Amino acid sequence: INARIETVAAKPAFRSAFRRRRCLILADGFYEWKKLGAAKQPLLISERDGRPMAFASILKRRRLSTA
């Protein structure tokens, strides 16, 4: 789920995590889809020099079922 910076602090779904559980996700890159007519092709987005990039994230805790 993508949280928007304009509303993340106010939306009930994200508010607590935004205040208390922020983190960074390190990655070599990510994929976006490029349309080629009716088909789609994955396009890798990464740093030219191969350095890792970081993405801001918030964590939401889930209760595990013991069933």
Side-chain angles (χ1 to χ4, degrees):
I1 297 175
N2 290 321
R4 297 191 176 271
I5 191 62
E6 298 88 359
T7 57
V8 69
K11 295 275 185 178
F14 304 118
R15 187 177 17 212
S16 177
F18 180 70
R19 289 184 187 146
R20 296 182 184 92
R21 293 182 298 278
R22 297 183 216 183
C23 68
L24 292 175
I25 307 292
L26 295 177
D28 294 330
F30 64 96
Y31 287 95
E32 288 288 337
W33 292 94
K34 180 179 179 180
K35 283 188 177 182
L36 297 172
K40 291 183 180 179
Q41 177 180 348
L43 180 64
L44 176 63
I45 309 295
S46 63
E47 294 288 344
R48 288 181 190 238
D49 61 5
R51 292 180 302 151
M53 54 179 68
F55 298 94
S57 182
I58 55 177
L59 303 171
K60 183 172 182 179
R61 293 184 181 162
R62 294 182 182 215
R63 293 183 187 199
L64 298 176
S65 173
T66 57

